Amino acid sequence: MEAEEILPYQFEHSDEELESDHEDTSDASSHSYAIEEDEQRVGNTDWCSCGNCIVMDVARECLCCQELDGIEDKLDHVSCITEHEGYTTVCLNREVLDTTLVGMAQLTGEVYPNPVTNRVLRLTAYRLFTWWIHARLGRRVRQVIPSCAVRVI
């Protein structure tokens, strides 16, 4: 798999990790719907309930924040997760992204990326979004990020 083919639900920071993770095709999603098989979602946003989603190329990525399990508490006063104050703080704040990169480098023993590219920041934001919403992320734990969140990141 080429690095240019990174999908929103893949969170690894290095090309080697991306290649080894791609070989493992299991997806431990907790969603109670079958978006993977719903090709009618591709090429439109008719499935979007929040009004902020974008057209995605793959059915499994055609996901609105309103469809996520366990997100109800964060959608209490907003119609889209991207309008939540925490979304901006956790996923878009440059200081939070940089601090996460430093922490991840220390935990994994990886070298802190220098310079920090937009790609690295985007992948870090995806990882933080998943931690914030699902509190889990790992090699065999994959969560699709809603289209509206991908649009803003």
Side-chain angles (χ1 to χ4, degrees):
M1 174 177 199
E2 297 295 323
E4 295 83 31
E5 297 176 21
I6 295 173
L7 301 174
Y9 56 88
Q10 295 174 313
F11 304 99
E12 305 307 329
H13 285 257
S14 73
D15 291 336
E16 289 175 6
E17 288 174 331
L18 282 173
E19 289 173 12
S20 66
D21 282 352
H22 184 65
E23 293 169 7
D24 175 23
T25 58
S26 66
D27 181 41
S29 177
S30 63
H31 304 303
S32 58
Y33 42 85
I35 289 179
E36 261 184 75
E37 293 100 33
D38 193 356
E39 291 297 325
Q40 294 177 349
R41 288 176 169 246
V42 177
N44 64 72
T45 58
D46 296 342
W47 42 267
C48 178
S49 300
C50 71
N52 293 315
C53 295
I54 57 174
V55 173
M56 301 302 276
D57 296 330
V58 180
R60 70 183 294 145
E61 296 173 0
C62 297
L63 175 69
C64 179
C65 64
Q66 299 283 334
E67 298 176 290
L68 287 177
D69 292 334
I71 197 172
E72 297 82 15
D73 61 323
K74 290 183 173 58
L75 291 174
D76 208 15
H77 301 289
V78 295
S79 61
C80 179
I81 195 63
T82 62
E83 299 167 359
H84 191 286
E85 180 181 328
Y87 177 83
T88 303
T89 303
V90 172
C91 301
L92 303 179
N93 184 297
R94 177 63 189 254
E95 298 303 318
V96 171
L97 295 172
D98 284 337
T99 302
T100 301
L101 282 169
V102 169
M104 289 301 299
Q106 289 180 354
L107 286 173
T108 63
E110 294 178 8
V111 177
Y112 181 80
N114 189 10
V116 176
T117 63
N118 283 337
R119 175 181 174 268
V120 169
L121 291 172
R122 187 176 64 252
L123 294 173
T124 302
Y126 292 157
R127 181 177 295 229
L128 285 172
F129 179 85
T130 302
W131 282 338
W132 180 53
I133 297 299
H134 303 287
R136 293 192 60 183
L137 179 66
R139 174 166 258 175
R140 297 189 189 273
V141 180
R142 293 285 182 243
Q143 302 291 344
V144 177
I145 296 176
S147 172
C148 46
V150 170
R151 178 186 61 85
V152 175
I153 291 174

